[in-house]
């Protein structure tokens, strides 16, 4: 496959997944902001989200004060924010358009219709009156895109690069969602003792943000604790959005597209995968969850760079 084609497919998938995960982070913040809390606690959650997304400086340059409505606007429709939902879905469509001949008609139509529908929704007052409904729509369109891709495309290199982009992005975003809630807020400690009612809704909202509430109940059949949430979202291979599940897919798809120069990239992915596969949550908590997640984010970033170097269009010098 031409590196330029692989590049478009990879980034189409990454931008689609990034839009979904931005919607997930915003939705959990909207939900937790409704809990009884002080104004400062409320703003702390929004500030933490900007920080873990590495967008605090960009936000401060554009807005004088930190307000929930300003953060939502910045993260949803600001064209100057490359991680905004509008920017991501626009880039996903443009990358899809560039390789329209490689995609099935159904995959292209999903990407194009998503972009067209987004314009209609943003021109309405949906984001102001019911932001959670808008975020659910973003998530649904992402689910639809993945389902149509798996259901209609030949299982060749094109699909492998799409899957590779999807799961690299998902791993990054799951780590960020987990870190923003553990490092940026939450009154329960890492051992899970003495959960208050507010804590229950807080961590329940986090689980729902990654479609994990029902899964948690099936796996643990007990009270919600932060330590178990961390274990579920990091070390459970059967949890679709966990770090380990994402790395399972990354390693598998790298194997399918390997070339003469990708052995070192496969080795790095395998090392990161093994650390999760054989990791124990007690050891992770003892070492420091924030430090572990920060290290993982750095490793995923470097892995993405290696994939770009070995397979995709080289970055301009």
């Amino acid at each position: 496959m031409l590196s330029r084609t692989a590049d478009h497919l990879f980034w189409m998938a990454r931008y689609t997944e990034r839009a979904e995960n931005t919607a997930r982070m915003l939705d959990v913040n909207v939900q937790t902001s409704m809990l009884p809390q002080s104004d400062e606690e409320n703003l702390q959650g929004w500030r933490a989200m900007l920080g873990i997304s590495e967008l605090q400086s960009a936000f401060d340059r554009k807005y004088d004060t930190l307000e929930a409505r300003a953060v939502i606007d910045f993260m949803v429709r600001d064209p100057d924010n490359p991680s905004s939902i509008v920017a991501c879905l626009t880039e996903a469509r443009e990358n899809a358009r560039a390789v329209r001949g490689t995609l099935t008609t159904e995959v292209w139509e999903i990407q194009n219709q998503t972009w067209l529908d987004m314009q209609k929704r943003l021109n309405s007052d949906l984001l102001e009156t019911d932001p959670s409904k808008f975020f659910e729509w973003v998530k649904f369109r992402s689910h639809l895109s993945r389902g149509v891709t798996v259901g209609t495309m030949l299982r060749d290199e094109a699909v492998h690069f799409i899957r590779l982009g999807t799961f690299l992005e998902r791993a990054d975003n799951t780590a960020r969602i987990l870190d923003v809630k553990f490092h940026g807020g939450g009154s329960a400690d890492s051992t899970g003792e003495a959960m208050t009612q507010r804590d229950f809704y807080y961590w329940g909202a986090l689980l729902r943000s990654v479609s994990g509430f029902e899964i948690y109940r099936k796996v643990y059949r007990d009270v919600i604790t932060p330590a178990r949430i961390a274990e579920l979202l990091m070390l459970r291979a059967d949890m679709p959005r966990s770090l380990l599940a994402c790395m399972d897919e990354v390693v598998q798809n790298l194997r399918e597209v390997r070339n003469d120069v990708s052995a070192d990239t496969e080795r790095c992915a395998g090392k990161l995968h093994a650390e999760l596969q054989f990791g124990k949550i007690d050891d992770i908590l003892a070492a420091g969850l924030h430090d572990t997640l920060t290290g993982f984010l750095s490793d995923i970033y470097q892995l993405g760079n290696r994939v770009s170097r070995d397979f995709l269009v080289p970055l301009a010098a």
Side-chain angles (χ1 to χ4, degrees):
M1 174 174 287
L2 293 175
S3 61
R4 186 169 298 280
T5 300
D7 188 80
H8 285 303
L9 293 169
F10 178 84
W11 283 105
M12 176 193 76
R14 287 205 74 157
Y15 280 121
T16 300
E17 184 72 20
R18 189 174 300 177
E20 176 185 349
N21 283 286
T22 298
R24 287 179 180 276
M25 283 198 293
L26 286 168
D27 196 27
V28 73
N29 264 38
V30 168
Q31 297 299 324
T32 55
S33 69
M34 297 178 185
L35 298 175
Q37 60 189 309
S38 67
D39 291 342
E40 180 54 35
E41 287 176 319
N42 186 20
L43 291 178
Q44 182 184 358
W46 293 104
R47 188 180 296 111
M49 194 194 76
L50 288 170
I52 201 65
S53 301
E54 300 177 2
L55 292 169
Q56 182 72 63
S57 297
F59 178 87
D60 290 341
R61 286 194 298 269
K62 189 151 191 176
Y63 296 90
D64 296 328
T65 58
L66 179 66
E67 297 176 340
R69 180 53 58 193
V71 175
I72 291 174
D73 195 70
F74 178 69
M75 295 293 289
V76 171
R77 57 174 142 214
D78 193 328
D80 297 327
N81 173 13
S83 293
S84 70
I85 290 173
V86 164
C88 287
L89 293 182
T90 299
E91 285 296 325
R93 175 182 182 264
E94 288 306 304
N95 278 284
R97 187 169 62 86
V99 288
R100 189 171 174 179
T102 304
L103 304 173
T104 60
T105 300
E106 292 88 345
V107 173
W108 159 248
E109 287 181 349
I110 289 295
Q111 292 289 343
N112 190 48
Q113 193 61 48
T114 296
W115 185 82
L116 293 172
D117 289 349
M118 177 182 67
Q119 310 303 316
K120 297 177 183 177
R121 280 167 169 76
L122 291 178
N123 287 332
S124 70
D125 61 352
L126 179 63
L127 191 59
E128 287 74 24
T129 59
D130 194 351
S132 289
K133 187 174 182 180
F134 176 81
F135 300 143
E136 284 297 324
W137 173 82
V138 175
K139 289 187 280 183
F140 173 76
R141 298 301 298 186
S142 180
H143 297 328
L144 195 58
S145 176
R146 281 194 302 276
V148 168
T149 298
V150 171
T152 67
M153 288 191 65
L154 185 69
R155 303 297 175 83
D156 60 2
E157 284 190 329
V159 165
H160 295 310
F161 279 113
I162 290 172
R163 302 284 285 177
L164 191 55
T166 294
F167 288 101
L168 276 173
E169 187 66 31
R170 182 177 296 182
D172 179 275
N173 280 278
T174 294
R176 290 180 188 276
I177 288 175
L178 191 56
D179 194 32
V180 74
K181 289 305 166 191
F182 272 85
H183 189 60
S187 57
D189 62 29
S190 61
T191 64
E193 298 174 357
M195 290 280 284
T196 66
Q197 186 178 36
R198 182 181 183 277
D199 292 329
F200 173 82
Y201 285 114
Y202 186 94
W203 296 111
L206 169 61
L207 285 170
R208 288 187 176 91
S209 77
V210 291
S211 302
F213 190 83
E214 291 85 358
I215 292 175
Y216 184 98
R217 290 303 194 194
K218 288 180 180 179
V219 171
Y220 297 103
R221 301 180 182 273
D222 204 346
V223 296
I224 294 173
T225 68
R228 286 173 177 169
I229 291 173
E231 181 180 55
L232 182 70
L233 297 188
M234 294 180 72
L235 306 181
R236 295 280 310 199
D238 49 359
M239 166 60 185
R241 306 192 73 85
S242 75
L243 302 187
L244 179 54
C246 290
M247 289 309 303
D248 281 345
E249 290 282 350
V250 169
V251 168
Q252 178 183 337
N253 285 285
L254 271 175
R255 188 182 302 121
E256 295 292 339
V257 298
R258 65 168 50 135
N259 59 27
D260 294 339
V261 298
S262 65
D264 197 42
T265 297
E266 282 193 72
R267 182 189 65 80
C268 291
K271 180 174 180 290
L272 189 54
H273 176 259
E275 289 173 355
L276 293 166
Q277 186 176 15
F278 299 107
K280 293 180 63 179
I281 194 61
D282 291 341
D283 295 337
I284 291 172
L285 294 175
L289 184 63
H290 175 62
D291 290 341
T292 300
L293 290 170
T294 299
F296 179 84
L297 286 168
S298 176
D299 290 340
I300 278 290
Y301 176 77
Q302 293 301 325
L303 183 57
N305 286 342
R306 287 176 177 274
V307 169
S308 295
R309 180 196 67 191
D310 294 347
F311 301 102
L312 311 180
V313 175
L315 297 174

